[in-house]
Structure formats: structure tokens, C-alpha cells
Amino acid sequence: MTRIRDQHIRGSIAFGAACDAALSVVLSARVPEVGVPPPIDRLLITVSLAGVAAVGLIAYGAALNDLFDRRRDAVVGGRSIGGADRATGPNVIIVVGSLLLALFAAAAIGRDSTYVTLVLATLLLFHNAVARFIPAIGLVVPGAVLAGLMLIPDWRMPMPIAVWLAMTIAVMAAAGVHVLADKRPRISRRAGAVVVIGWAIMSCVVLGLRTGLGSPFWPGTLSPVVLVWPFVVLVGLGLVVRWKIRTASSPRHAGAKVIRYVALWQPLLAAAWCAGLGDWVATGIFAACGIIGLLAVGGYRELAGMSGPPAQWR
């Protein structure tokens, strides 16, 4: 059951990442200052390719995590080299296959998308091999990866504030889960300061992409009222997270719920951005995806509860 739960959390993360990548495509096409929107068929193809690239990279990162864990367990447990190879064989196939899938999808979008995907693949490798064992670095990487996933379709997207918001949520969720689940090593004051500095540097990079190209930080044709919709959705996310933490049976389960609901809230946040732009078709699609994802979580919980504990010998 634990393995099924872990895969369920990873599926939620991949689902949220795909919606974030799709949102980036929609924002690039619907913001008035970029000119004439692309044809609907081309838009749908780009959305699909961006989603596939995002899911492929998330699967690549998850398989890398399992691969490194299995190798480390084999060394610590003193298992034979042959047994370790048999255990890690399927993970190697998933690592290579998911990375190739992400690269092919990115290459179909454009050359720049391929470069961004390669950078993200390198960052995920660094995270799983080194950074995840150092909270000062490992807590910042999820935000950088999520920001990069949104930049795969177009790293010059006209609304970097949406990328920054998703990145900030990811960093805050990673830090909150680390503290809530009492993971080791704990976050010291120095490590916390490094996390804040890393977040600030990433914020400058993400928000400075347009200004570095001589473009305004915020599209001049848009009203700041657009920000009201995402703010309302974020308030809802905060209330749900607080409720799930208070009703969790243990800190570990609370951390898992935080990750799951933050990931599944991404399509609702995407719907809020589209509502602010007045694109009600995209709003309805993203909102439907979010509701389906949340209902799927509830259905999974019911099935898990009906299955009961595993049979045991007295």
C-alpha cells in the first residue's frame, strides 16, 4: 500500500506539472501584446507536447530517485552485485525511456525547448544524486524544476509572474513538508537562510527574463485585476492545506497530503489565470481537470479504505 501511495503522489505531481506547462502555452498565445494568436490546432498540439515533456521529466526524476535508492540500499544491505543489477534494471529503462520521451516532445516544439529540457534533466540528476541530501539546496530545486517546466514551450513567455508564483508555491511546499514530516537533516538557521537566498536568486532570474530582453515586466495591455483570480484560488489552497494538516493521522501523512493537494491545485490555479484573461474555454478545461483530479484523490482514498489492512498470520 505504501508503494501504491507513493506512485499516487508522483502521479499527482506529474498531473500538476503537465497543467503548468499547458498554462504556459495558453498564456503565450492569449496575452494580447504577443500579436495574432496561433491557430487552434497548432495550439492544441503545442499544449500536448508541453504536457508530454513535463510528464516525461517528472517520470525521469522519479525513476532516478528509485535508481539511486536501490543502489544505495544494495550497498548498505550487503546484497550481491547481481541482485542489485536485477533490481535496478527496470529503473534504468524508465530513466532512459522517459528522458527520450521528454526530449522528443521538446524537440517537436522547437530547438530552444530542447535546450531547456536538457538543462532540467541535468538539474534533476544533480538533485537526486546530491542536492536532496542537503536541505539548503534540495528544497530550492523543486521550484527551479517547476519553473523550467513552464519555460519549455517558450522561455520568453509574456507573463513570468505566473512562473514565479508556481515556483514559489513549490519551494514553500517542499520546505513545509520537510519541517512537517520532521525529515533529516533538519533545516538549520543557516540552511533556511540559504533557501531564502536561492529562492531570491531564482525569482530574479525568472522575473528578469523579459526585462533582460528589453520587454516590460508586466504586459501593458493587461490590468492588474488579473491577479485577483489567482489570489482567490491561493486562499482556497491555504484553507484546504490547513484542513488536511489538522485532520491527518500523522505528520508523515500530513506531508503527503500537502504534496498531493498542492500538485492537484495547479489546474485550478491555471484556470484562475485564464479567467483573469477572459479565456473562458481554457478556464473551463483547466477547472474540469482540477475537479477530476480532486475527485480521483477522493475515490482513491475510498478504495484504499475499503481494501482494509493486509492479511496477517496470528
Side-chain angles (χ1 to χ4, degrees):
M1 181 62 69
T2 300
R3 180 171 178 81
I4 295 176
R5 186 182 297 112
D6 291 341
Q7 297 300 332
H8 183 260
I9 293 175
R10 290 175 174 180
S12 301
I13 295 174
F15 177 71
C19 291
D20 284 331
L23 171 65
S24 178
V25 178
V26 175
L27 292 179
S28 297
R30 291 294 181 250
V31 173
E33 94 171 351
V34 300
V36 180
I40 186 63
D41 54 346
R42 181 179 175 185
L43 179 63
L44 292 176
I45 292 175
T46 306
V47 166
S48 301
L49 292 173
V52 170
V55 172
L57 282 174
I58 294 299
Y60 164 76
L64 273 179
N65 183 281
D66 290 343
L67 181 62
F68 281 112
D69 283 348
R70 287 180 181 274
R71 297 297 297 183
R72 188 175 65 253
D73 292 344
V75 173
V76 174
R79 289 190 246 166
S80 65
I81 299 299
D85 289 340
R86 287 192 296 272
T88 58
N91 292 100
V92 173
I93 296 175
I94 297 175
V95 167
V96 176
S98 56
L99 179 58
L100 289 176
L101 178 65
L103 286 173
F104 286 146
I109 298 175
R111 183 176 59 182
D112 291 345
S113 300
T114 306
Y115 293 152
V116 175
T117 303
L118 287 173
V119 171
L120 291 176
T122 304
L123 185 60
L124 285 169
L125 177 60
F126 170 72
H127 173 70
N128 284 283
V130 179
R132 63 177 171 141
F133 303 107
I134 309 174
I137 302 176
L139 296 179
V140 181
V141 173
V145 171
L146 184 56
L149 291 176
M150 295 185 70
L151 295 177
I152 288 178
D154 182 12
W155 65 273
R156 297 177 296 268
M157 69 167 299
M159 290 187 65
I161 186 68
V163 180
W164 174 83
L165 183 59
M167 178 201 72
T168 301
I169 293 173
V171 173
M172 292 179 62
V177 170
H178 192 94
V179 174
L180 187 65
D182 197 22
K183 293 184 178 181
R184 297 295 189 274
R186 292 178 176 175
I187 304 176
S188 62
R189 290 185 178 180
R190 181 178 300 178
V194 174
V195 171
V196 173
I197 293 173
W199 168 82
I201 293 175
M202 289 194 304
S203 298
C204 293
V205 172
V206 171
L207 297 177
L209 286 176
R210 283 179 59 81
T211 56
L213 296 173
S215 301
F217 168 76
W218 179 262
T221 55
L222 293 182
S223 169
V225 179
V226 173
L227 299 174
V228 173
W229 292 84
F231 176 77
V232 173
V233 173
L234 287 179
V235 172
L237 174 60
L239 294 176
V240 170
V241 168
R242 181 182 178 185
W243 169 45
K244 292 300 178 179
I245 291 176
R246 295 181 62 180
T247 57
S249 58
S250 67
R252 182 184 178 188
H253 289 164
K257 288 184 177 183
V258 169
I259 296 175
R260 197 160 52 232
Y261 279 90
V262 167
L264 292 174
W265 216 259
Q266 298 307 306
L268 297 181
L269 185 59
W273 283 111
C274 294
L277 295 176
D279 190 341
W280 300 109
V281 175
T283 300
I285 294 175
F286 279 121
C289 290
I291 294 173
I292 291 173
L294 292 173
L295 290 177
V297 170
Y300 164 79
R301 290 183 58 192
E302 292 298 327
L303 292 176
M306 293 172 59
S307 62
Q312 298 179 352
W313 293 101
R314 291 186 178 181

